[in-house]
Amino acid sequence: MVKLVCTLGTSPGGIFETLGNLRKGNYEAENPIPVNIKEVYVIRTSDKAVDIAWKLVKAIFACCGEKDVTISDISLQITDITSNSDYELFMKEVSSRISKGDYVDFTGGRKAMSVAAAIAAKELNAHIVTTIIPQNEYNEIAQRAKGLKEEDIIAGGNRDCRVDFCSLTSKNARTILLQ
Amino acid sequence: MVKLVCTLGTSPGGIFETLGNLRKGNYEAENPIPVNIKEVYVIRTSDKAVDIAWKLVKAIFACCGEKDVTISDISLQITDITSNSDYELFMKEVSSRISKGDYVDFTGGRKAMSVAAAIAAKELNAHIVTTIIPQNEYNEIAQRAKGLKEEDIIAGGNRDCRVDFCSLTSKNARTILLQ
């Protein structure tokens, strides 16, 4: 079964949308067919703001659909990529998680994370995808996310959907298959 | 002779610093030796803000050193990467500019541009580098750049250095060789 492997930064932006678009066959490619994905790996640093973004992703998945999907948190013991060894650690981790035919979404996180994930995908014969959220919508979502309390976000992850987490997903996200 | 091939976005951030650091051997790698680079290719979109960033890069090179270097502007007829065909155009262009042993800096521009440049570098046996500018310094430089008039920036590119363009370069930029 193919997986979706995503990088994550300080915004939840795109992971839920990428998954939905791939599953519906709603993405830009020569022959966009629905992809049967039931497993998502989120690879990220352990920076505080990224921790919150992960909790938001978890709450969005718990409260807004795609409920038959398993979503796994892969948190590295670094808070940023600022050295060659950070990059190598990230590359090693992301490479170990990708199998042939998987979908790798590099939309979130630092550029060096995106580059590592895309190179790993290329080498392992996985697909490379990205999701574009219009800038104004992205900013609105970021503003809404900022207004949430951490305890409500954690509750959301446990399917206690006391906040409208679905307003944090983009209605106009476009997913592009690059390879 | 090896070249430096750089992606550029809306900020001039990093190109001048990457070149200086490579030439001085002042970068993070197992065995950082000075790299004799005399040619820089800047690959970018033709978005208005990116045009300005290019003019700033040109003015910085004209007014702040590295004067024995030829810097070439490669401007694509797209304003952003929002589709598979934009990505392929960018990939084709960047691949055609990279030779074995060149240095490819993916620091500037959209993530999809960085990914395309890094994948091309990997395939063509070029080096991959990135330069990290501390966030506060980056923001200060962006603020200073915003305050400049376009006519002064253009004059700078013609070596009429009526503005302190060197204040737009980072004193604490760190360049990392990733491959």
Side-chain angles (χ1 to χ4, degrees):
Chain A
M1 185 74 74
V2 297
K3 301 186 299 290
L4 174 62
V5 179
C6 304
T7 51
L8 178 71
T10 56
S11 129
I15 296 181
F16 183 82
E17 293 87 335
T18 301
L19 181 72
N21 285 341
L22 289 174
R23 291 181 79 175
K24 287 193 285 268
N26 177 30
Y27 55 95
E28 192 186 314
E30 264 185 36
N31 181 24
I33 48 166
V35 187
N36 185 16
I37 298 175
K38 296 252 168 88
E39 203 167 10
V40 179
Y41 285 0
V42 176
I43 306 194
R44 63 180 187 94
T45 67
S46 48
D47 175 76
K48 177 77 181 130
V50 180
D51 280 341
I52 299 281
W54 158 248
K55 285 172 185 149
L56 279 169
V57 170
K58 213 174 145 196
I60 290 168
F61 273 84
C63 296
C64 307
E66 317 289 359
K67 285 178 191 169
D68 58 333
V69 169
T70 309
I71 174 162
S72 303
D73 178 29
I74 300 157
S75 169
L76 301 186
Q77 294 308 303
I78 50 172
T79 55
D80 200 352
I81 298 198
T82 60
S83 68
N84 198 302
S85 59
D86 295 339
Y87 178 81
E88 279 177 6
L89 178 72
F90 194 87
M91 178 62 103
K92 197 175 155 193
E93 186 62 42
V94 73
S95 296
S96 76
R97 302 294 180 158
I98 298 172
S99 304
K100 186 176 170 180
D102 280 351
Y103 287 74
V104 176
D105 177 3
F106 67 73
T107 310
R110 290 281 194 198
K111 261 184 201 168
M113 285 163 59
S114 302
V115 160
I119 287 178
K122 179 95 183 166
E123 291 195 333
L124 296 161
N125 287 311
H127 299 283
I128 301 177
V129 296
T130 188
T131 288
I132 296 166
I133 297 174
Q135 196 65 47
N136 56 349
E137 204 182 9
Y138 182 91
N139 294 342
E140 281 166 28
I141 290 171
Q143 275 306 317
R144 261 180 239 132
K146 265 192 194 164
L148 300 181
K149 289 184 197 145
E150 193 170 350
E151 61 186 78
D152 290 336
I153 298 171
I154 292 168
N158 294 321
R159 306 206 172 195
D160 172 1
C161 307
R162 54 177 91 157
V163 171
D164 179 16
F165 291 105
C166 311
S167 72
L168 303 178
T169 64
S170 164
K171 306 294 171 276
N172 302 299
R174 287 194 310 113
T175 297
I176 305 172
L177 179 71
L178 298 180
Q179 176 188 299
Chain B
M1 185 74 75
V2 297
K3 301 186 301 289
L4 174 62
V5 179
C6 303
T7 51
L8 178 71
T10 56
S11 129
I15 296 181
F16 183 82
E17 293 87 335
T18 301
L19 181 73
N21 285 341
L22 289 174
R23 291 180 81 176
K24 287 193 284 267
N26 176 30
Y27 55 94
E28 191 186 314
E30 264 186 35
N31 180 25
I33 48 165
V35 186
N36 185 16
I37 297 175
K38 295 254 170 85
E39 202 167 10
V40 179
Y41 285 0
V42 177
I43 305 193
R44 62 179 186 94
T45 68
S46 48
D47 175 76
K48 177 79 181 127
V50 180
D51 280 342
I52 300 281
W54 158 248
K55 285 172 185 148
L56 280 169
V57 170
K58 212 174 145 195
I60 290 168
F61 273 84
C63 297
C64 307
E66 317 289 359
K67 284 178 192 171
D68 57 334
V69 169
T70 308
I71 173 161
S72 304
D73 178 29
I74 300 158
S75 168
L76 302 187
Q77 294 309 303
I78 49 173
T79 55
D80 200 352
I81 297 198
T82 61
S83 68
N84 198 301
S85 59
D86 295 338
Y87 177 82
E88 279 176 6
L89 179 73
F90 194 87
M91 177 63 102
K92 196 175 155 191
E93 186 63 42
V94 73
S95 296
S96 76
R97 303 293 180 160
I98 298 171
S99 303
K100 186 177 172 181
D102 280 351
Y103 286 74
V104 176
D105 177 3
F106 67 74
T107 311
R110 290 280 193 199
K111 260 183 203 169
M113 286 164 59
S114 302
V115 160
I119 287 178
K122 179 93 184 169
E123 292 195 333
L124 295 161
N125 286 311
H127 298 284
I128 302 177
V129 297
T130 188
T131 289
I132 295 166
I133 297 174
Q135 195 64 47
N136 56 349
E137 204 182 9
Y138 182 91
N139 294 342
E140 281 166 27
I141 290 171
Q143 274 307 316
R144 262 180 236 131
K146 264 191 195 167
L148 300 181
K149 288 186 199 145
E150 192 170 349
E151 61 186 79
D152 290 335
I153 298 171
I154 292 168
N158 295 321
R159 308 205 170 194
D160 173 2
C161 307
R162 52 177 92 158
V163 171
D164 178 17
F165 291 106
C166 311
S167 72
L168 303 178
T169 63
S170 165
K171 306 294 170 278
N172 302 298
R174 288 195 308 112
T175 297
I176 305 173
L177 179 72
L178 298 180
Q179 175 187 298

